[in-house]
Amino acid sequence: MPSPTPRPDDPGAVLRTSPHPRAGAAPTVLKVVIAGGFGAGKTTAVGAVSEIAPLSTEEYLTEASADVDSLVGIEAKQTTTVAFDFGRLSLPDAPVPLELFLFGTPGQDRFVDLWYDLSRGAVGAVVLVDTRRLESSFTPISFFEDIGLPFVVAINQFDGAHRYQPEQVRTALELPASVPVITCDARDPNHVAGVLLTLVGHAVKNASATRVHHTPTTTLQDA
């Protein structure tokens, strides 16, 4: 009998069972979430790396949101994502050819319910960090920790912002050593692609570790 097709809600199974690529083989399709605080660069990252015209749901900020959407440190920001951003990136030269579907989340905490929907079926997440507003990173990090979705932290190096080393940011965010922390420029397609490859590698490692830790043991019922 043919092997069952992994359910979309179990992307780790896709990674665990993906065969070595054949010449001309169809790419492995994976869903990736790009998250982070308000103004961290999510829309920019999706737009920089997407090979299609990205879908964006940005709206102009108005006075009505002034009390809930602080612009301290990002005074030049004029728009905000109100649903999600979508883009696509093909990586045919990766160890396993990949096609990544990218979903950028809205950054404000009030959209947490939407984050659940966007994360369903994802292989992992990138949390973009703005060191000028580091406190905005705690909610998305806690969210992915709570739902058990593998994630990496990418420090978006904004012009004029102080440059911190990844380990300094790791300490400030109280991240375990198992979570990759890297720097990037969300405007640079090569940087963003590198972050995504880091995430996929981290998800593969996490999926392999999960499989080892959940190896069935023999019980009296099996005998």
Side-chain angles (χ1 to χ4, degrees):
M1 294 180 62
S3 300
T5 301
R7 297 180 294 106
D9 282 351
D10 187 13
V14 177
L15 291 173
R16 293 193 294 269
T17 59
S18 292
H20 294 292
R22 305 185 309 274
T28 297
V29 178
L30 299 174
K31 177 182 179 181
V32 171
V33 176
I34 298 181
F38 177 52
K42 302 176 293 295
T43 300
T44 299
V46 173
V49 80
S50 179
E51 64 196 12
I52 62 172
L55 170 66
S56 179
T57 59
E58 287 204 308
E59 295 291 344
Y60 281 100
L61 293 166
T62 66
E63 291 184 4
S65 68
D67 292 336
V68 291
D69 294 335
S70 172
L71 294 177
V72 175
I74 53 171
E75 288 80 6
K77 186 172 178 60
Q78 298 181 335
T79 61
T80 184
T81 298
V82 296
F84 63 89
D85 301 311
F86 174 76
R88 186 185 71 200
L89 175 64
S90 297
L91 296 169
D93 297 327
V96 174
L98 299 172
E99 186 170 358
L100 304 181
F101 289 170
L102 312 175
F103 288 81
T105 70
Q108 297 93 321
D109 294 358
R110 64 180 179 274
F111 290 109
V112 167
D113 286 345
L114 180 58
W115 298 358
Y116 284 101
D117 293 332
L118 294 176
S119 299
R120 185 173 294 114
V123 71
V126 173
V127 177
L128 280 173
V129 167
D130 180 356
T131 57
R132 301 169 302 176
R133 295 158 57 91
L134 196 60
E135 68 283 353
S136 67
S137 304
F138 283 101
T139 298
I141 287 172
S142 296
F143 173 81
F144 294 119
E145 288 177 337
D146 289 345
I147 68 173
L149 190 67
F151 67 94
V152 302
V153 167
I155 307 164
N156 191 6
Q157 296 187 317
F158 286 88
D159 292 339
H162 183 79
R163 298 294 190 250
Y164 293 95
Q165 294 300 314
E167 289 308 308
Q168 292 176 291
V169 174
R170 180 191 303 281
T171 299
L173 294 175
E174 300 180 343
L175 294 168
S178 58
V179 175
V181 180
I182 52 181
T183 60
C184 76
D185 183 336
R187 300 167 298 185
D188 188 316
N190 291 327
H191 281 210
V192 179
V195 169
L196 294 170
L197 283 172
T198 299
L199 171 63
V200 172
H202 177 57
V204 169
K205 182 178 179 180
N206 187 78
S208 299
T210 300
R211 179 175 59 176
V212 169
H213 291 157
H214 288 80
T215 300
T217 56
T218 301
T219 65
L220 291 175
Q221 188 176 1
D222 298 325

